[in-house]
Amino acid sequence: MTRQKQNKFLLLLLLVILPIAFVCHFAAGEISISWSIFSDAWFFFDSSNTEHIIVREFRFPRFIMACLAGSALSVCGLMMQTLFNNPLAGPYILGINSGSSLFVAISLMTGISIFQSDFGLVSSALIGAFIFGLIILAISFKVKQGVSLLLIGLMLGSFSSALVSVIQYLSEANSLKMFTMWIMGSLQEVESGQLPFISVLFLFGMLGSFFIIKPLNAFVLGETEAELLGISIRKIRLLIIVFTALLTGLITAYCGPIAFIGLAVPNLVKIIFKTQDHRILLPASLIIGALFLVLCDIIVQLTAPWIPLPINAVTSLIGAPMVIYFIVKRLAQ
Amino acid sequence: MKHVKLVFITFPKYLFMALMLKKSRTVDYFYDMKILSLFVILSAVLFSCDSQKKKDISTGENVARYAKYLRIIEKGNLTTIEILSPETGEVEQTLNVSKEMIKTSHFLQVPVSKMAVLSSTHVGMLSKLNEIDKIAGITNRLYVYNKELLESIEKDKVVELGEEGQIPVEALLKTKCQALIYSGFGKQYPHQKQLNAAMVRCIANYDWRELHPLGKAEWILLFGYLTGKEKQAKLYFDKIEKEYLALEEKASKLKNFPTVLEGNLFGESWFAPAGASFKAKLLKDAHVRYQYADTKGTGSLPLTLEKILSDNLDTEHWINPGFPTKEKLFAFHPKLKYLGPVTKNKIFDFSKSGNRYWELSAIEPQKILSDYLSIFHPTEFPKENLYFYQEVK
């Protein structure tokens, strides 16, 4: 079997694992619910039945959010790594998440009216991600060294954290409480009614990412080669930032900042699939990202009665050692 | 006092004179031995006196009757205040206070002229003793309710020191305060060594770890002794104790037990008060049925939202969600709308009073109990206006 066929088979296999992950995720909840109740919750929904509510309003949106968030952050990470030609790039490391956090902090804790609309949280997260994405892009024109760019990304993160601390110090108790809750990260806040809006934005960002697969492959060869192939570097760079900001901002707004997925999953995908072809890497990041976050959320749910772990802690606990492994492996090469 | 003077002043003086004599004259070996023996015997006698005194202190009558982590023993002009560790039950800090002039670092002369207080409850306790002007430093004006204190902050008479564990030492020293009261956490205060060297006494306050509402309130005695108003503190405490116990007694005769849910989500979990906690005790005294009343522990139980939802399907009341309006509550977490008490429209919160609750609830537990009784038993305890609480609409 050729590598290409092997990869396609692997992708199919991962797609089959996804429903199994759903079953495990559903079963991980603290309240035991039978499959007959699960089907009743969909076909004979009773709004006064707690179990029906748990199925429709708690477990289902949580699973969908885990899939969307995992996919979105992984695909963003992959695009950033390709754009900056650096395997350690990702929305979290490059400060895109921090941009969202800063603007959400402004939105939640300063009471500036422009952010107080219905979609204030989402729009502020998107604006923050986009501005910080543009800043890092602008700097990347001047700074060519990958490590320097990562350091600048980390500095941007520290800078925004410092500003957030100042805002936190000056904010009133209720706003502070809301922000603290948000920054801990959670997949359980999204309601089923919010899913269509989130899904539409997710699909837009994801389709856009798939639309630029060809230029992304050209970027792997290097910017000069990509230009020779007739690709508008400027346009593609901007598109990558737009789609990354959209997906990161969207997920950060609803789930809080989630670390390491954008960094760890694309690297894991490259190790598994042993290719630089984005026709494989992109869908693989999408599926493995979803599976990774679903697995993390299963851990959160299983440990919840004893240790209340935020999702961000679990992704970091699994993701950080993975990243260290990638770095050590790369240095060894 | 006599012993202290004898050990530290009189005896060294004579010892020094004797040694000087030895230098000036030819003295035999036995003369040296005589002095040494005298020193050893005298030290032993004095040490035994000191041990006796210590024994007396630890066996004396404790002034604090409800507080588990505060022990106060009066002996003449000297009062020994012991702060006990909630983790081990051992004495964590000992404070010897006296109104007399004693120039040693082991004693704190009271009344303390200025102090920095790092928790809202400390401000509340000082306000009940009319000693707000003793405050030289606080953490953040955003959390202050007391008008007098706010005015003092405006006039720069009181300094804002920022976060409790990271206060700027120089700014604190500039206030010339003699004591720093902080919420105890089982370890020394971060800058304790430097502050002690600058004659600022760091005193841990464990009111927040007390398990009885009156035990929490009883920490007013600490402030009473520090400000020299221990009599007023005792009188105040006796008054609230009487009121609290009277309400508890009246409530215990009720026949119905309304059901109640307490707390809110934090991160992934709902932290419900454990069965032996301070909050559970208040609910018990308010004669309600609390779902987790029989659980072990003095802190909180981390529960999932799903568990809370399924356990509290028929629960009537929800107390202390932490938000003044439903709009803010659901903005905090939209799925809270599925909870039983929300559908029954019986949610009550202290955020009406905001900082007043944080400042005064510890020292006015009888008012919390009174509010609870009016909320849970409105027919038997009718009240037009709740003191700390309001309905969340």
Side-chain angles (χ1 to χ4, degrees):
Chain A
M1 203 190 282
T2 62
R3 184 79 233 169
Q4 210 175 357
K5 275 186 179 171
Q6 265 181 16
N7 284 341
K8 279 180 184 168
F9 175 74
L10 263 174
L11 270 179
L12 273 174
L13 190 72
L14 287 169
L15 268 177
V16 175
I17 295 174
L18 209 54
I20 300 170
F22 171 71
V23 174
C24 296
H25 188 269
F26 180 79
E30 198 179 353
I31 307 297
S32 90
I33 290 172
S34 66
W35 288 101
S36 62
I37 289 173
F38 176 80
S39 64
D40 283 355
W42 291 107
F43 301 112
F44 309 102
F45 180 68
D46 174 6
S47 60
S48 62
N49 186 319
T50 313
E51 287 169 325
H52 287 189
I53 290 171
I54 287 175
V55 171
R56 278 180 66 147
E57 287 302 330
F58 284 70
R59 297 203 185 163
F60 181 68
R62 190 171 178 149
F63 174 76
I64 297 293
M65 243 3 253
C67 291
L68 298 186
S71 304
L73 294 173
S74 303
V75 167
C76 288
L78 177 70
M79 289 197 292
M80 297 299 258
Q81 287 172 13
T82 307
L83 173 64
F84 296 113
N85 193 23
N86 192 326
L88 295 178
Y92 198 82
I93 290 271
L94 289 174
I96 313 254
N97 284 59
S98 309
S100 292
S101 300
L102 176 62
F103 275 70
V104 167
I106 294 169
S107 159
L108 286 176
M109 293 192 285
T110 58
I112 296 172
S113 56
I114 196 167
F115 294 117
Q116 302 300 310
S117 64
D118 282 352
F119 299 112
L121 195 71
V122 187
S123 51
S124 42
L126 292 178
I127 292 167
F130 191 65
I131 289 175
F132 272 55
L134 283 180
I135 291 172
I136 208 83
L137 183 67
I139 293 170
S140 75
F141 291 127
K142 296 265 178 201
V143 179
K144 295 291 171 197
Q145 270 190 312
V147 177
S148 307
L149 200 65
L150 292 181
L151 285 173
I152 290 167
L154 287 172
M155 288 306 110
L156 269 179
S158 302
F159 177 74
S160 84
S161 299
L163 283 178
V164 169
S165 302
V166 173
I167 298 168
Q168 277 179 297
Y169 182 74
L170 298 171
S171 72
E172 55 99 24
N174 281 340
S175 312
L176 186 61
K177 216 183 303 175
M178 288 176 97
F179 181 73
T180 309
M181 181 82 170
W182 175 84
I183 203 136
M184 288 174 85
S186 175
L187 296 169
Q188 69 166 353
E189 278 183 47
V190 173
E191 290 185 283
S192 57
Q194 291 171 315
L195 284 179
F197 172 72
I198 297 169
S199 303
V200 167
L201 285 184
F202 172 84
L203 275 176
F204 183 74
M206 210 46 90
L207 285 175
S209 308
F210 275 84
F211 181 71
I212 55 168
I213 278 183
K214 221 173 166 182
L216 282 170
N217 277 339
F219 261 71
V220 176
L221 301 169
E223 284 188 3
T224 323
E225 284 79 0
E227 216 158 11
L228 284 172
L229 288 170
I231 285 158
S232 165
I233 301 289
R234 218 182 178 84
K235 196 175 133 193
I236 297 303
R237 273 180 159 172
L238 193 68
L239 279 176
I240 292 175
I241 291 296
V242 167
F243 296 138
T244 306
L246 173 68
L247 291 170
T248 309
L250 175 73
I251 299 307
T252 311
Y254 283 101
C255 307
I258 299 176
F260 284 106
I261 290 196
L263 180 52
V265 173
N267 280 296
L268 183 69
V269 167
K270 283 172 196 166
I271 288 173
I272 296 171
F273 287 86
K274 293 185 179 70
T275 178
Q276 290 292 332
D277 186 354
H278 284 71
R279 284 175 302 178
I280 296 291
L281 291 180
L282 213 72
S285 295
L286 189 144
I287 302 168
I288 294 183
L291 286 172
F292 184 85
L293 200 54
V294 168
L295 171 74
C296 291
D297 197 41
I298 288 173
I299 296 171
V300 167
Q301 291 192 73
L302 289 176
T303 54
W306 301 281
I307 321 161
L309 288 172
I311 185 76
N312 211 1
V314 180
T315 55
S316 302
L317 280 172
I318 300 174
M322 279 170 75
V323 172
I324 293 170
Y325 168 74
F326 299 142
I327 294 170
V328 172
K329 202 180 166 197
R330 200 163 175 247
L331 284 172
Q333 283 170 354
Chain B
M1 270 303 293
K2 273 179 190 170
H3 297 151
V4 173
K5 201 179 167 189
L6 203 62
V7 169
F8 293 103
I9 302 165
T10 319
F11 185 69
K13 196 167 89 183
Y14 287 112
L15 188 66
F16 179 74
M17 282 167 67
L19 289 171
M20 286 297 106
L21 270 172
K22 185 191 170 233
K23 272 190 178 176
S24 58
R25 290 187 229 162
T26 312
V27 186
D28 62 11
Y29 169 74
F30 293 102
Y31 182 80
D32 277 1
M33 286 311 291
K34 264 185 201 169
I35 292 174
L36 197 64
S37 312
L38 187 65
F39 180 76
V40 170
I41 292 163
L42 200 56
S43 300
V45 170
L46 292 173
F47 182 75
S48 72
C49 291
D50 198 42
S51 303
Q52 187 61 42
K53 191 171 86 184
K54 269 188 185 164
K55 200 178 166 191
D56 284 346
I57 285 170
S58 60
T59 54
E61 197 188 341
N62 185 3
V63 178
R65 287 169 288 135
Y66 293 89
K68 270 185 85 175
Y69 311 118
L70 178 69
R71 194 187 291 156
I72 300 170
I73 289 132
E74 291 176 340
K75 193 161 173 72
N77 288 330
L78 179 78
T79 302
T80 300
I81 301 171
E82 289 177 335
I83 315 282
L84 309 179
S85 159
E87 310 304 333
T88 60
E90 304 274 310
V91 177
E92 189 175 296
Q93 285 180 4
T94 303
L95 203 65
N96 294 308
V97 298
S98 173
K99 286 182 180 173
E100 277 185 13
M101 182 82 165
I102 305 163
K103 280 190 176 172
T104 81
S105 58
H106 300 288
F107 292 86
L108 180 66
Q109 197 191 337
V110 290
V112 167
S113 59
K114 287 281 174 196
M115 62 177 97
V117 290
L118 303 186
S119 166
S120 301
T121 60
H122 309 166
V123 175
M125 293 190 181
L126 285 167
S127 75
K128 294 293 169 193
L129 298 171
N130 289 321
E131 291 287 347
I132 286 293
D133 59 340
K134 290 267 162 70
I135 298 175
I138 52 143
T139 52
N140 189 331
R141 76 174 73 191
L142 285 175
Y143 306 124
V144 175
Y145 166 72
N146 189 285
K147 279 179 189 163
E148 195 187 331
L149 184 58
L150 282 170
E151 278 171 21
S152 299
I153 299 166
E154 284 298 319
K155 289 174 188 167
D156 292 330
K157 287 180 184 171
V158 175
V159 180
E160 285 179 278
L161 297 165
E163 281 193 35
E164 192 170 2
Q166 302 164 352
I167 60 163
V169 177
E170 286 187 26
L172 178 73
L173 295 179
K174 214 174 155 190
T175 64
K176 290 181 180 162
C177 67
Q178 291 169 282
L180 168 81
I181 323 289
Y182 63 96
S183 297
F185 52 95
K187 286 180 185 167
Q188 277 201 342
Y189 189 73
H191 314 285
Q192 190 150 328
K193 267 189 181 172
Q194 295 103 305
L195 292 170
N196 283 350
M199 298 302 281
V200 178
R201 191 63 69 93
C202 300
I203 304 167
N205 185 323
Y206 282 110
D207 62 355
W208 64 284
R209 294 290 302 266
E210 290 293 345
L211 304 178
H212 194 295
L214 289 172
K216 205 183 263 279
E218 210 169 21
W219 279 78
I220 193 174
L221 296 178
L222 171 71
F223 293 93
Y225 283 95
L226 290 178
T227 55
K229 283 195 168 176
E230 64 276 9
K231 280 181 191 159
Q232 289 91 322
K234 282 176 194 168
L235 280 173
Y236 180 82
F237 180 74
D238 290 345
K239 183 178 152 273
I240 59 167
E241 180 198 18
K242 213 170 157 186
E243 285 176 29
Y244 188 96
L245 295 178
L247 284 170
E248 189 190 341
E249 163 77 17
K250 213 171 159 188
S252 67
K253 287 171 187 157
L254 294 170
K255 281 179 184 161
N256 63 324
F257 282 91
T259 46
V260 66
L261 170 68
E262 213 278 354
N264 204 336
L265 277 169
F266 187 71
E268 290 287 322
S269 299
W270 184 292
F271 289 90
S277 67
F278 154 79
K279 284 181 176 174
K281 166 73 180 148
L282 258 172
L283 292 174
K284 189 184 167 202
D285 292 346
H287 209 256
V288 291
R289 183 166 293 122
Y290 170 55
Q291 180 74 28
Y292 312 105
D294 297 327
T295 55
K296 284 179 184 170
T298 55
S300 301
L301 309 163
L303 302 167
T304 60
L305 186 54
E306 283 188 10
K307 173 106 177 109
I308 288 286
L309 185 71
S310 66
D311 283 351
N312 293 280
L313 196 61
D314 301 318
T315 302
E316 298 162 77
H317 298 88
W318 179 10
I319 202 97
N320 299 338
F323 289 93
T325 61
K326 278 188 186 170
E327 192 192 350
K328 286 189 176 174
L329 186 60
F330 301 147
F332 173 70
H333 204 296
K335 289 179 190 173
L336 295 172
K337 66 179 173 229
Y338 298 111
L339 291 171
V342 177
T343 54
K344 294 174 188 79
N345 271 322
K346 284 183 177 178
I347 317 171
F348 289 85
D349 192 65
F350 54 76
S351 37
K352 165 197 178 185
S353 48
N355 290 340
R356 184 169 70 163
Y357 177 84
W358 295 114
E359 213 166 278
L360 297 173
S361 59
I363 194 58
E364 293 184 326
Q366 82 285 13
K367 289 192 176 163
I368 304 182
L369 185 59
S370 167
D371 276 2
Y372 274 16
L373 290 169
S374 300
I375 291 166
F376 303 133
H377 311 279
T379 321
E380 294 86 349
F381 293 88
K383 202 183 199 180
E384 247 180 54
N385 290 310
L386 299 170
Y387 185 71
F388 286 122
Y389 282 81
Q390 74 170 0
E391 195 178 339
V392 176
K393 287 178 181 169

